[in-house]
Amino acid sequence: MNAINIASLFVFAIVLVSNWKRVPLHYALFALVLIVFPLCYPISTADALSALPRYMLIVFLLVIISASWKQPRLATLCLAGSFALFTFNVVWFISHYWVA
């Protein structure tokens, strides 16, 4: 379970770092704070990263960066990955295994 949480953190961090210069500095710093803030206050010691993907969804700058990509292959790859992750999460939700 923590693999999905850590993977979401790294994906969002890599997208932000790789496109740091394409956005204004104050937006990039705000997105960085939004990414780091959930890591500073873990809810419990057993499953500290339990809601990290949900917290990463509020980083609006990453959505703007993703929308500005002009490469069709990259957009298709992101769409396929998002669909696969969505399907995986829906199956877990339906089986009452995972919600956050």
Side-chain angles (χ1 to χ4, degrees), residues 5-95:
N5 298 328
I6 291 172
S8 71
L9 173 70
F10 284 131
V11 165
F12 280 96
I14 288 170
V15 168
L16 181 63
V17 168
S18 65
N19 293 296
W20 186 270
K21 299 200 180 200
R22 297 178 66 191
V23 294
L25 181 62
H26 58 282
Y27 282 168
L29 291 176
F30 181 68
L32 183 65
V33 168
L34 286 176
I35 289 173
V36 171
F37 187 73
L39 299 175
C40 295
Y41 298 101
I43 296 171
S44 66
T45 57
D47 198 16
L49 303 175
S50 65
L52 197 63
R54 182 178 62 200
Y55 293 135
M56 294 297 110
L57 290 176
I58 65 167
V59 184
F60 71 95
L61 183 65
L62 300 176
V63 176
I64 293 171
I65 289 171
S66 300
S68 69
W69 289 337
K70 303 289 185 208
Q71 301 158 344
R73 286 186 182 173
L74 185 60
T76 304
L77 180 68
C78 286
L79 183 63
S82 297
F83 182 71
L85 189 61
F86 172 74
T87 305
F88 182 70
N89 287 333
V90 165
V91 168
W92 273 18
F93 179 75
I94 290 172
S95 64

